[in-house]
Amino acid sequence: MADENASSPELNLEELEEFIGADELEAIRAERDAFRDKFMRALADAENARKRGERDRREAEQYGGSKLARDMLPVYDNLRRALNAVPEENRAQSAALIEGIELTLRELLGVLNKHGISLIVPEVGESFDPQMHQAMFEAPLPGTKAGQIIQVLTEGFMIHDRLLRPAQVGVSSNTAG
């Protein structure tokens, strides 16, 4: 019988209280609960850190090129201006130059698209959207309604689902359509 008790050293709660005392047992329980609480908090902190690290990694992967892309946008604008600067009567004699600029512009847009950067091209007559457009001026224009785009100064760009640069537009200030 002594061997059975040695292999099974379980004490019931009353025997344990007699052995170490009720106050000490309560102190051990409180310490156990405090350790459990600290462990659960540390586990939650580790999980939050893992999730935050994963989110930061995804954002860096998607939006890490934003600064370089933003710095490249003036190149796009200047190529677009170069195309628009050629008068209609000189287009035939400048055909090779125009074609070179257009090819360069298409290649630049292709590279930007490859990296999730897309062009925002508002149309004259569209409604002004403050989430996508930046109003550079307001002017009354007959035949338009207030808030309609009357001129597109520069196109805008998105990188994935974020605005990289708003399209710069002129907006009608007509109060009567």
Side-chain angles (χ1 to χ4, degrees):
M1 283 284 189
D3 285 340
E4 286 179 24
N5 286 341
S7 65
S8 169
E10 294 180 27
L11 295 174
N12 67 28
L13 192 57
E14 292 170 3
E15 291 173 335
L16 190 57
E17 281 183 11
E18 282 179 27
F19 183 69
I20 62 171
D23 291 341
E24 197 170 336
L25 182 59
E26 194 54 43
I28 290 171
R29 283 183 181 141
E31 186 178 12
R32 176 204 62 197
D33 292 345
F35 282 133
R36 180 181 291 145
D37 184 57
K38 285 180 182 178
F39 173 73
M40 296 306 284
R41 288 177 190 271
L43 205 56
D45 285 346
E47 181 63 17
N48 288 341
R50 186 193 65 76
K51 287 179 183 175
R52 189 172 39 255
E54 178 64 24
R55 185 184 65 238
D56 290 350
R57 184 196 62 76
R58 272 193 321 270
E59 283 190 6
E61 192 175 282
Q62 272 195 317
Y63 305 112
S66 294
K67 186 171 175 10
L68 175 63
R70 203 171 282 114
D71 289 345
M72 291 298 295
L73 299 184
V75 174
Y76 170 85
D77 294 336
N78 289 332
L79 289 171
R80 176 67 65 198
R81 281 188 203 100
L83 282 176
N84 294 337
V86 179
E88 198 60 44
E89 58 272 5
N90 295 351
R91 288 206 172 258
Q93 62 212 63
S94 303
L97 176 65
I98 291 172
E99 183 181 359
I101 293 172
E102 286 173 341
L103 287 171
T104 304
L105 198 55
R106 272 198 299 272
E107 186 169 350
L108 177 61
L109 284 173
V111 169
L112 292 173
N113 279 327
K114 179 179 166 187
H115 294 280
I117 299 165
S118 57
L119 196 58
I120 301 170
V121 186
E123 297 290 326
V124 171
E126 272 182 34
S127 291
F128 175 76
D129 178 359
Q131 300 296 319
M132 304 293 263
H133 308 136
Q134 178 181 7
M136 301 306 289
F137 67 89
E138 248 186 334
L141 185 68
T144 61
K145 296 178 186 164
Q148 276 186 323
I149 294 173
I150 56 175
Q151 185 179 359
V152 177
L153 303 170
T154 61
E155 287 121 348
F157 289 86
M158 297 282 291
I159 182 166
H160 299 287
D161 59 345
R162 288 187 185 168
L163 186 65
L164 190 60
R165 179 182 82 183
Q168 296 177 335
V169 298
V171 181
S172 174
S173 64
N174 283 353
T175 52

